[in-house]
Amino acid sequence: MDKNLYSRLQTKIILLTLGVSFAPLLLLGGILYRQFAAMYVEKIREQIHFRAESRADAVDLFLAERTAILGAIADTHSLAEMANEETLASSLAIMNARAGAFVDLGVIDQHGTQLAYVGPYDLRGKNYFDQPWFGQVMSRGVHISDVYLGFRRLPHFIIAVRRQERQRNWVLRATIDPEIFGRIVQRGQIGKTGDAFLVNREGILQTQPRHSGNILEPSPVKPALFGKQTMVVDGGLLGRPGVLFAGTWLKSAEWLLVVSGDVEEDMAQLFSARTLQTAIIVAGMLAIVLTTVLTTRTLVGQMIRAETRLREMDAQLIQADKLAALGKMAAGVAHEINNPLAVILQKTGWMRDLLEEEDLRKSPNFKEFRDAVLKVEEHVERARKVVHDMLGYARRMEPRAEAIEVNRIIDQTVDMLENYARNNSIDIQTDLDPELPRTTGDGAQLQQVILNLVNNAIDAIGQNGTIAIRSECAGSEIRISVADDGPGIPEHLQRKVFDPFFTTKSTGKGTGLGLWISYTIIEKMGGKMTLQSKPGDGTTFTITLPVVPPPPQ
Amino acid sequence: MDQPNILVVDDEGDFLETLMKRLKKRNIPALGCSSGEEALQLIRESPFDVVVLDIKMPGGMDGIQTLKEIKKLRPETEVILLTGHASLETGMEGMQSGAYDYLLKPILLENLLEKMAQALERRGGAAQRAQSERLRSLLPKG
């Protein structure tokens, strides 16, 4: 049996099955995850995009409100009224009551000189002509400045409106509370790492960001990357991989509102989904491996058993074929030998006849001649016996059909041999099934077979040993076994023991026909005869006979 | 010597020749021939009490055919079949065709003489019975 072939086959089947099952599973898992991840990232981008836009709207609204109320105050008062610090103070109070977040309020004439001021700083009389915002408001009418330190040396920004009054321009300027403004922007900071801040065209921070940098310092965000519409930019471009930046230019000021979000943080949910998916796939793979290995093992085991059975059947078939052919040949050979033997026997008879005559009796070699003739006749007789045994088998073509009791035949046979066995210190034990059914066959022939087997067992043991004879009913079959504890039969001889003329006994002691005849007798009865032997452990011959009910009388 | 009343038919020359010599030495009136056709010719010429006939004779008539012809020509003839072949069917067929008995080769002369004596006895005539007695006297005692 080529065990190697089967283990290779088993490995092949397992690998193939696993390959075919795993490939689509892993492919499906991978593709699904990628698609899902892509969708998720897209969703995160959309969210951050939306956050930037809505935050920009809120900031725009804040600034538009402040600008509008500042404009309204300027429009409803003359320079003379506003230059009065009491009026100015009450205006600031109204503005803070209506909108809030105004820190101070100042009135500046067209030369940049602050005519009146209310607020916490002492800025009265300061000249703003050289300040960049002053030029802007004078030319454009309304201006929201970048954050700067100014005279007060604190980061702040201002909203300024210009009023034209009888060929004279004056400017109403208010400072916005950087704290309050900063909070509105910072409301866009979502999650543990999300950030929201403003930068101007040069990338200078206009509000305090959560990470990386301080107000009025350059930010890593490059405003040139962001177009007119709200845009989402990968942090990789800004030296911050894994972070998304969404930027929206404000409508009311030259500021870019930036909202950033850590993709990793937002993807935590996706990662837990991935862990779950991986766990399910791994569990599935384990189940597949287990099932495949078990199924394949069972399958290959069955194949091995089937092949073993097939081989056994083949061996039996070959054995039967061989023995049938040998039987035919032996019968033919027997006949061809008988004719020359007949001639030899007549010739020796004639020689014996002649030796009876007077003159030969006196010959000095008379005794030698007579002995030689007798020896020839003795050996012709030996040859004749062998041939007759074989022809005897041929004559047994049609065994008798009678009801036979296997147990009784065994008992009779044991009786016949018991004395002989005892003389050789051999114990014959029988274990007979009392429920054994009767069958049909030739009892004398079956007895001959059992006699032959027990005789062989005695010869095999020689001295001191045990022979165990068992009979049992196995389904619709009767099983008879004859086991000895003799030396056993070497494996290479086991296939030959049923061959005609095969014998291990010394020349003249056995013809080698006994087992062959036994085999053919059992075969003709529709049974089987097998042997099991292990050198050193003895030999067991097993006869299986079908239970054939006796024909009705 | 009397007119031979025993016929031996065998195609094996050595066997036939030696057997005839041994019968002659014992003064048994026998004739030998080596084919079925020859045997039938001889039987047509004169009757024999006992015919010893080999069953298997390749080429020409075989023993069974010859036996059937003999029984047609002279049904009273006792035929002893002799064969190296051992199939039960052939033996049965021979017996059914009227053979007295059949013997397996190789055979000791003593056994053949015994069988011949029995056959002669069965023929029943006084001469045959006397010859049967004489044949038996040739056999070793016991």
Side-chain angles (χ1 to χ4, degrees):
Chain A
M1 175 78 48
D2 198 347
K3 290 273 180 219
N4 236 342
L5 192 81
Y6 276 113
S7 73
R8 271 213 305 279
L9 181 70
Q10 185 171 330
T11 315
K12 227 187 246 177
I13 294 176
I14 290 176
L15 288 183
L16 200 71
T17 317
L18 292 188
V20 169
S21 338
F22 284 179
L25 192 67
L26 291 176
L27 209 66
L28 191 72
I31 288 175
L32 276 181
Y33 176 74
R34 279 185 69 90
Q35 298 277 15
F36 191 55
M39 269 168 58
Y40 209 84
V41 168
E42 191 51 43
K43 197 191 94 183
I44 290 169
R45 290 177 85 96
E46 271 171 24
Q47 266 181 7
I48 211 162
H49 184 277
F50 172 76
R51 246 157 51 203
E53 236 167 28
S54 62
R55 199 41 33 199
D57 284 347
V59 173
D60 267 332
L61 184 66
F62 177 89
L63 292 175
E65 261 178 22
R66 271 61 197 168
T67 310
I69 201 164
L70 193 65
I73 295 289
D75 284 346
T76 50
H77 296 82
S78 64
L79 179 61
E81 283 169 329
M82 290 313 279
N84 181 342
E85 286 199 348
E86 262 171 51
T87 319
L88 199 60
S90 77
S91 290
L92 181 61
I94 291 165
M95 282 160 65
N96 272 332
R98 289 287 166 192
F102 291 102
V103 175
D104 58 9
L105 195 60
V107 178
I108 298 149
D109 69 8
Q110 59 190 347
H111 307 295
T113 306
Q114 184 147 271
L115 302 176
Y117 172 83
V118 281
Y121 305 103
D122 183 20
L123 298 174
R124 210 168 290 119
K126 296 271 184 202
N127 190 292
Y128 291 101
F129 195 81
D130 294 331
Q131 294 281 351
W133 63 263
F134 188 73
Q136 292 283 344
V137 75
M138 285 309 280
S139 61
R140 286 194 196 165
V142 178
H143 180 66
I144 299 171
S145 76
D146 278 357
V147 174
Y148 66 109
L149 293 174
F151 293 115
R152 63 190 81 169
R153 318 309 302 165
L154 276 172
H156 68 287
F157 72 94
I158 53 111
I159 301 175
V161 292
R162 170 172 56 84
R163 170 92 195 273
Q164 200 167 3
E165 203 181 324
R166 282 171 289 145
Q167 309 304 317
R168 277 183 64 194
N169 284 321
W170 58 277
V171 170
L172 187 62
R173 178 205 65 105
T175 304
I176 299 295
D177 186 338
E179 288 281 316
I180 296 171
F181 183 69
R183 276 204 292 278
I184 287 169
V185 173
Q186 282 156 8
R187 224 164 275 157
Q189 298 174 348
I190 302 286
K192 289 192 192 97
T193 52
D195 209 344
F197 52 87
L198 288 172
V199 291
N200 67 3
R201 290 216 170 265
E202 285 76 43
I204 305 299
L205 285 164
Q206 303 296 305
T207 59
Q208 180 64 38
R210 207 168 180 185
H211 313 289
S212 59
N214 286 306
I215 191 162
L216 285 177
E217 284 174 5
S219 141
V221 174
K222 297 182 186 92
L225 284 174
F226 296 89
K228 215 170 174 180
Q229 302 289 321
T230 307
M231 270 179 69
V232 181
V233 170
D234 277 318
L237 294 171
L238 307 170
R240 295 276 307 277
V243 180
L244 285 177
F245 291 88
T248 306
W249 287 104
L250 295 185
K251 292 184 196 81
S252 45
E254 302 234 308
W255 289 336
L256 181 69
L257 183 115
V258 178
V259 172
S260 78
D262 194 333
V263 179
E264 298 273 324
E265 189 192 323
D266 288 339
M267 298 245 280
Q269 216 181 330
L270 178 70
F271 292 148
S272 80
R274 184 176 67 179
T275 311
L276 185 68
Q277 191 192 19
T278 310
I280 290 171
I281 287 177
V282 166
M285 280 164 73
L286 274 176
I288 290 172
V289 168
L290 217 68
T291 319
T292 307
V293 169
L294 284 180
T295 324
T296 310
R297 274 195 176 178
T298 316
L299 198 77
V300 170
Q302 265 169 6
M303 279 168 69
I304 291 175
R305 274 196 297 282
E307 188 179 314
T308 311
R309 216 164 37 234
L310 210 69
R311 270 167 198 255
E312 276 168 10
M313 275 164 62
D314 266 5
Q316 273 176 15
L317 226 66
I318 289 168
Q319 172 98 321
D321 272 3
K322 184 179 75 180
L323 290 183
L326 279 169
K328 267 184 203 152
M329 202 188 78
V333 167
H335 172 248
E336 289 308 320
I337 286 169
N338 270 343
N339 278 323
L341 284 181
V343 175
I344 292 167
L345 205 59
Q346 288 314 312
K347 291 289 180 194
T348 56
W350 180 233
M351 282 161 83
R352 242 181 330 127
D353 288 353
L354 294 179
L355 284 171
E356 296 302 314
E357 285 174 13
E358 278 301 304
D359 50 341
L360 280 174
R361 269 181 177 274
K362 283 177 195 143
S363 152
N365 283 325
F366 169 74
K367 202 175 167 304
E368 287 294 315
F369 275 121
R370 204 185 54 186
D371 285 352
V373 168
L374 287 177
K375 274 288 167 215
V376 173
E377 286 193 339
E378 196 184 310
H379 286 276
V380 168
E381 174 59 20
R382 205 175 113 192
R384 190 193 67 85
K385 202 174 165 306
V386 170
V387 174
H388 274 225
D389 278 352
M390 287 200 308
L391 295 180
Y393 150 68
R395 217 180 292 130
R396 268 187 291 264
M397 284 296 187
E398 286 170 67
R400 293 170 52 187
E402 58 193 5
I404 48 175
E405 286 174 47
V406 171
N407 285 348
R408 224 178 57 185
I409 289 172
I410 294 173
D411 281 334
Q412 282 173 357
T413 313
V414 172
D415 282 348
M416 285 164 70
L417 291 169
E418 212 151 32
N419 270 327
Y420 175 59
R422 202 176 299 131
N423 290 340
N424 290 300
S425 310
I426 293 169
D427 186 22
I428 302 183
Q429 295 170 349
T430 51
D431 173 15
L432 306 180
D433 181 356
E435 304 289 308
L436 211 61
R438 300 207 302 179
T439 185
T440 308
D442 191 321
Q445 287 190 358
L446 182 61
Q447 178 155 41
Q448 191 189 337
V449 171
I450 294 169
L451 195 66
N452 180 248
L453 291 182
V454 179
N455 253 327
N456 281 351
I458 292 172
D459 287 345
I461 294 170
Q463 296 272 327
N464 298 315
T466 310
I467 297 169
I469 307 175
R470 281 171 58 92
S471 71
E472 61 183 330
C473 188
S476 59
E477 288 178 332
I478 292 171
R479 198 172 295 151
I480 307 162
S481 62
V482 177
D484 68 60
D485 56 359
I489 302 168
E491 204 160 327
H492 68 282
L493 294 180
Q494 285 181 15
R495 270 180 305 159
K496 292 186 181 167
V497 296
F498 293 120
D499 291 0
F501 302 112
F502 174 81
T503 182
T504 55
K505 294 172 188 171
S506 54
T507 318
K509 284 271 175 60
T511 59
L513 291 171
L515 277 176
W516 173 58
I517 290 171
S518 298
Y519 182 93
T520 51
I521 286 173
I522 296 300
E523 203 181 36
K524 289 223 161 58
M525 289 176 81
K528 272 187 302 189
M529 187 157 153
T530 55
L531 95 150
Q532 274 184 306
S533 186
K534 224 182 193 177
D537 277 2
T539 305
T540 303
F541 280 92
T542 307
I543 297 169
T544 322
L545 288 175
V547 174
V548 181
Q553 292 301 308
Chain B
M1 197 160 137
D2 307 320
Q3 162 78 20
N5 67 336
I6 293 168
L7 180 64
V8 180
V9 190
D10 200 308
D11 67 331
E12 182 77 56
D14 282 336
F15 180 82
L16 184 66
E17 182 207 355
T18 317
L19 183 60
M20 293 318 291
K21 271 199 275 189
R22 297 187 72 194
L23 291 175
K24 193 179 168 194
K25 189 174 165 60
R26 285 164 175 78
N27 279 319
I28 295 165
L31 207 61
C33 70
S34 61
S35 77
E37 288 86 352
E38 220 176 309
L40 288 174
Q41 188 58 42
L42 287 167
I43 288 165
R44 255 184 226 112
E45 282 165 15
S46 62
F48 289 86
D49 288 322
V50 174
V51 175
V52 177
L53 184 60
D54 190 10
I55 289 186
K56 201 183 178 198
M57 291 181 289
M61 286 175 86
D62 74 3
I64 298 290
Q65 261 177 296
T66 312
L67 166 67
K68 285 176 181 166
E69 289 301 317
I70 291 171
K71 281 290 170 181
K72 257 188 243 169
L73 278 173
R74 299 190 193 273
E76 74 281 5
T77 315
E78 296 296 349
V79 179
I80 297 168
L81 292 174
L82 207 54
T83 179
H85 200 275
S87 97
L88 185 70
E89 288 74 24
T90 324
M92 293 282 284
E93 200 186 345
M95 299 299 280
Q96 278 161 5
S97 305
Y100 171 64
D101 206 346
Y102 78 99
L103 291 172
L104 279 177
K105 278 184 180 179
I107 187 166
L108 289 169
L109 184 64
E110 289 75 18
N111 296 347
L112 183 60
L113 292 181
E114 165 83 40
K115 205 52 86 180
M116 281 177 176
Q118 285 169 8
L120 281 167
E121 208 169 326
R122 205 175 109 148
R123 279 288 286 117
Q128 286 85 357
R129 214 169 288 162
Q131 197 184 12
S132 170
E133 284 302 309
R134 207 184 74 73
L135 285 184
R136 282 189 206 277
S137 71
L138 291 172
L139 299 175
K141 298 291 172 288

